[in-house]
Amino acid sequence: MTVKALAHSPLTIEAVRELLELPESPPVPDDDFIAHSEKVLGWGFTDLVCDADLTRHGHVLSYDVDNPLGNPEAAFHLVFGEAYPYRPDMPDEAESLTDDVRTWAETPGWHFRTDPGLDGCEAVLAEAAQTVSAVLGCPPQQTVRTDDHFSMGPHALCRIWRTSGHAVVLTPLADEGPYGYLTHLALALLPCPAEEELPADVPARDEVASLSGQFGRQPPVRVVFAADADAADLVSCLVAAEGLRSVAGYRETGRR
């Protein structure tokens, strides 16, 4: 897989810690949420992802409920990278899709690279993994290779940590939004109770469900992370995917 362009903003200790604290943060009334998120949390508007916020650290944050503060059932997705996996059957799109990635890099704190390749994306994810491990005080519980169920590419490593009530997932995932052919590098915080195992014996690859779906409410879905082709195991965790279309957090809430 050739990666033609990459924009990213490195994850910091503060950014990761603040994401992990959101489910346990003091709740605020719904009518006060937008003002609180702007004045207290430092979130602002961004059009890089539909219905998302730009954090004070410059990352793109989305969530699957209107007011996620103090809500342990909310799913959060923090996008810190955007990649363009080149498709040989779409050579005419190369310039415009590269420009789309360049638009992400116009955000303060973001950097742009051409032709980073898979290794460049792996390096960005590995650096982010070190930061997440430093915050959680442990290495990932599972590390698996992504495939087409995640995105068109790059098929980089996906790393999964566990907390008492959540799965913390660092992974590439398809940008299902206005760009279509791009890939997010994202840190997701997904409800996953401690009693829920991460089974290593999910029987069939065709049972895989991605985070992609239709607008509107959906029942909880099992998200299965595909392992390397040589591995016999698949990794899965339960997440409540109400209104969640992709890691981009598309939802029909009309909050903006």
Side-chain angles (χ1 to χ4, degrees):
M1 168 61 65
T2 299
V3 181
K4 296 288 287 184
L6 172 67
H8 87 285
S9 175
L11 288 179
T12 63
I13 294 288
E14 293 78 8
V16 174
R17 184 175 291 126
E18 289 179 16
L19 175 69
L20 299 181
E21 291 173 350
L22 288 174
E24 298 179 355
S25 62
V28 300
D30 291 346
D31 291 344
D32 299 335
F33 169 66
I34 294 179
H36 179 87
S37 67
E38 294 173 350
K39 297 177 181 179
V40 178
L41 301 180
W43 299 354
F45 173 77
T46 179
D47 58 3
L48 291 171
V49 167
C50 179
D51 208 3
D53 295 294
L54 189 70
T55 72
R56 69 185 186 92
H57 303 288
H59 304 124
V60 178
L61 177 69
S62 55
Y63 32 89
D64 63 345
V65 295
D66 287 348
N67 180 356
L69 299 182
N71 184 349
E73 299 302 318
F76 298 88
H77 301 88
L78 192 70
V79 179
F80 63 93
E82 190 79 353
Y84 163 36
Y86 177 70
R87 290 182 54 172
D89 60 329
M90 296 178 57
D92 295 340
E93 303 294 330
E95 182 176 353
S96 63
L97 290 173
T98 298
D99 287 343
D100 285 338
V101 175
R102 200 186 305 272
T103 298
W104 283 73
E106 294 173 357
T107 305
W110 285 65
H111 310 280
F112 177 78
R113 293 177 57 187
T114 56
D115 299 313
L118 175 61
D119 289 346
C121 297
E122 291 280 24
V124 168
L125 288 165
E127 180 183 26
Q130 292 180 347
T131 302
V132 177
S133 291
V135 173
L136 293 175
C138 63
Q141 181 173 335
Q142 299 281 0
T143 300
V144 296
R145 177 70 59 183
T146 60
D147 62 10
D148 287 343
H149 292 108
F150 290 74
S151 69
M152 289 172 50
H155 294 156
L157 292 178
C158 166
R159 299 166 173 87
I160 306 171
W161 295 258
R162 293 295 301 273
T163 68
S164 59
H166 291 80
V168 182
V169 184
L170 180 69
T171 185
L173 275 175
D175 178 350
E176 304 267 3
Y179 307 130
Y181 299 106
L182 303 182
T183 298
H184 294 312
L185 304 184
L187 181 65
L189 182 63
L190 308 173
C192 193
E195 61 269 18
E196 293 287 350
E197 297 289 338
L198 294 179
D201 58 354
V202 178
R205 182 174 290 263
D206 59 10
E207 292 184 10
V208 171
S210 74
L211 285 175
S212 300
Q214 299 299 317
F215 283 117
R217 289 188 173 270
Q218 312 231 0
V221 297
R222 181 170 294 274
V223 179
V224 180
F225 299 94
D228 291 302
D230 295 335
D233 296 342
L234 297 176
V235 181
S236 66
C237 68
L238 283 172
V239 298
E242 294 184 354
L244 192 63
R245 174 168 180 172
S246 73
V247 73
Y250 280 81
R251 62 192 190 281
E252 284 188 319
T253 64
R255 187 172 66 83
R256 290 288 184 195

